[in-house]
Amino acid sequence: MSPQLPPVAPAVTAELVAALSPRLRKRLDSGIAKLADRPVVRDGAVVRIAVDDDTDLELHAPDGAVRGADAVRCGCLLAPDCLHRAAAASLAPVAEDTDSAAPQDDSAAEEEAAQAPETATPEQRAAVRAVQLATSAVLEAGTDGAGAVLQAELLRAAHTARLAGLHRAATTAVSVVTALRAARAADPAYHLTDLAAGLYEVLSVAHRLPSASGGELTALRGTARQPYRPDGSLRLYGLFSEPVLTASGYAGAVTWTADAEGRLYQVSDVAPGGAGRAVGAADRTVRIGDTALTHRELARAGLAVSGATVSPTGRLGAGAGVQAVRAPGAGWHEEPVARLWAEPVPDQVARALAGGRDLLFLDVTLTGTAAEAAGDCLLAEGAGVSLRLTAAHDDPALPHRDNLRLLSAARGTRLRVVARLTPAPHPRAQLLAAEHPTRADTRLDIGLDRLQGADLPTTTAAPSVPVPASASASDEAPIHLLRRRVHQTVSGGRPVLALPGDTRADARQLRRSGLATAAELLTDLHSAAADRAHDVFGRLRPTDPDRFARAWLAAAHYTSELDRTLCLAAWTS
């Protein structure tokens, strides 16, 4: 995926792909690959791709994104029915409906919610069924088979869902397409677990929504944007900043702050861009009131806000009525900030697993490093458990991995850190911020500040050691036998699970471990994958994507819920 291309609205990509002839649809993925290697030039709101020496393709994005099919123009002889327009739209990031930094009047949203029917409308049932079918087709094909045509079908279904007021399904469906593109492009930002979680979310919403009512239906519908509500005057204390870099082509920074009661608030600056914008955003002035603080400065200072507006997730608005001035900050060991670390870690983990904030405030002692398939992780002891601290981003432009590598040499150092919980059968979290290992009262934003060798204490570096598979908690409770098939389906689709082979050994091991339900789900998943009946002439009948998707959804739901239970148990043991 080229970060230089402007985001394209889902409906535009769907329209351009749908207009292709069957012959051109078969050539779309190869056309995308060829276009990805062509030179790109930006001229104001117009981005030009040199299709060949004599032909240019233009994407017009006056507001930063391509909003109509007529904004994608090609100079070749076959235009507008050429392959190039659809290829360019499929190559570009998917435009998202991002929350505005300015406060929004949520009275219309509240009125709409109050007048919404208590059950799904026929239009919504039809829209969510379209999303379900398109997602099932993607699941059946796997990442290797889910090319631009299947992606466009899912984008079309997402657009239809949004028009029907099903914002949660639409947003998650778009995120699935973004993850698919990242997977097929071997983007370092891609993670199989993220795509699996997106597919699970879409199919779960589609499964539950037709029969939902009341509050459950409202939650399943979702909202078009987060409403910003007045919150009076706030006295905030900076905690840390983290870079934002998404596979969908957005980048920037978010600075986290806390009030005197320990409630968290964020100030964000996220816009279309790549790693360069993520690196530079920390030195941009925060967009709130008249303050001249940068994100990096706010992370270590304070803020007094009057006329504040806040979203349900704690994001601060920046409307014309908001006033903000710099104020003194507080160290991590000083009140009121220190109370964040005083909360018992099991309570923090339980809240995160229940859908609350996923930040953990920990006191740890560094013990070394361990080699994993995804890269080295930092080992630490804290809250009575041994935990693994991992990199939040793998992009080499960001210093996450370099900082973790250097911190591993500070074995025995005790640090106060901020991390983001990673649900797993063992204590695991992404390291976001930490105290400096040798400078008292100095904080490090792990994704923005670069440690140097001279910053480390003079201790002997701990060697990197491989983590034997037999030592992981997932082998002690072999749910990994089912989770592996769930993830294999996402990568390889139905064909991988339909391959001949004896799956009874895995089912027997699950039953011996007391996971009889997991064994039944594993057996059903394989059975659904291999279910290909023949007609009276001996020909294979079409597959039943509904049955396969239901079997996968049941297995994914079971592993997700059991993982939550194992994760909480690991942090409280």
Side-chain angles (χ1 to χ4, degrees), residues 117-367:
E118 291 301 308
T119 58
T121 66
E123 179 189 18
Q124 290 175 334
R125 289 191 177 93
V128 82
R129 177 58 176 165
V131 171
Q132 186 178 41
L133 290 174
T135 307
S136 297
V138 166
L139 182 67
E140 180 154 332
T143 55
D144 293 338
V149 173
L150 285 182
Q151 294 170 24
E153 289 300 320
L154 186 51
L155 289 177
R156 177 183 295 279
H159 179 64
T160 302
R162 191 174 296 282
L163 293 178
L166 303 180
H167 304 289
R168 181 175 170 183
T171 299
T172 313
V174 169
S175 72
V176 166
V177 173
T178 296
L180 281 172
R181 292 180 178 181
R184 293 173 62 85
D187 190 324
Y190 167 72
H191 295 285
L192 175 61
T193 53
D194 292 340
L195 176 55
L199 289 166
Y200 168 71
E201 169 79 2
V202 177
L203 290 173
S204 179
V205 170
H207 175 74
R208 294 160 54 197
L209 189 139
S211 59
S213 61
E216 182 188 12
L217 178 59
T218 300
L220 291 173
R221 285 193 186 112
T223 57
R225 60 189 180 189
Q226 291 186 354
Y228 284 75
R229 298 178 179 274
D231 203 18
S233 298
L234 297 173
R235 176 64 171 90
L236 303 176
Y237 301 84
L239 294 172
F240 71 97
S241 288
E242 63 172 320
V244 175
L245 183 60
T246 71
S248 57
Y250 288 80
V254 172
T255 298
W256 291 82
T257 66
D259 68 6
E261 303 301 322
R263 291 187 294 264
L264 300 185
Y265 298 83
Q266 313 108 55
V267 180
S268 67
D269 181 0
V270 179
R277 191 179 195 284
V279 171
D283 295 314
R284 295 167 63 96
T285 302
V286 298
R287 296 185 297 173
I288 178 170
D290 297 325
T291 177
L293 284 171
T294 66
H295 283 269
R296 193 186 302 274
E297 292 170 337
L298 175 58
R300 292 154 179 82
L303 203 64
V305 186
S306 61
T309 57
V310 184
S311 77
T313 59
R315 181 175 298 177
L316 290 172
V322 180
Q323 301 294 321
V325 296
R326 181 172 186 155
W332 284 359
H333 291 272
E334 301 171 358
E335 291 297 342
V337 171
R339 70 176 54 199
L340 295 168
W341 279 265
E343 182 181 11
V345 173
D347 293 349
Q348 297 184 48
V349 174
R351 179 178 56 249
L353 292 174
R357 72 185 189 211
D358 56 1
L359 296 184
L360 302 180
F361 298 87
L362 309 170
D363 288 302
V364 302
T365 299
L366 305 183
T367 58

Side-chain angles (χ1 to χ4, degrees), residues 278-454:
V279 171
D283 295 314
R284 295 167 63 96
T285 302
V286 298
R287 296 185 297 173
I288 178 170
D290 297 325
T291 177
L293 284 171
T294 66
H295 283 269
R296 193 186 302 274
E297 292 170 337
L298 175 58
R300 292 154 179 82
L303 203 64
V305 186
S306 61
T309 57
V310 184
S311 77
T313 59
R315 181 175 298 177
L316 290 172
V322 180
Q323 301 294 321
V325 296
R326 181 172 186 155
W332 284 359
H333 291 272
E334 301 171 358
E335 291 297 342
V337 171
R339 70 176 54 199
L340 295 168
W341 279 265
E343 182 181 11
V345 173
D347 293 349
Q348 297 184 48
V349 174
R351 179 178 56 249
L353 292 174
R357 72 185 189 211
D358 56 1
L359 296 184
L360 302 180
F361 298 87
L362 309 170
D363 288 302
V364 302
T365 299
L366 305 183
T367 58
T369 185
E372 296 184 329
D376 288 357
C377 69
L378 187 62
L379 300 180
E381 297 284 339
V385 298
S386 299
L387 65 144
R388 305 175 192 181
L389 297 171
T390 63
H393 286 283
D394 289 322
D395 194 292
L398 301 173
H400 291 91
R401 287 215 171 273
D402 290 341
N403 286 337
L404 258 66
R405 177 179 54 81
L406 285 171
L407 284 173
S408 69
R411 186 172 186 175
T413 302
R414 185 168 178 79
L415 296 176
R416 182 157 278 192
V417 304
V418 183
R420 177 168 287 118
L421 177 68
T422 301
H426 55 271
R428 189 180 190 88
Q430 297 173 346
L431 184 60
L432 303 177
E435 293 177 313
H436 196 284
T438 56
R439 301 176 193 167
D441 300 325
T442 300
R443 312 173 197 174
L444 291 171
D445 295 330
I446 298 299
L448 298 171
D449 301 322
R450 285 193 177 273
L451 274 171
Q452 305 296 326

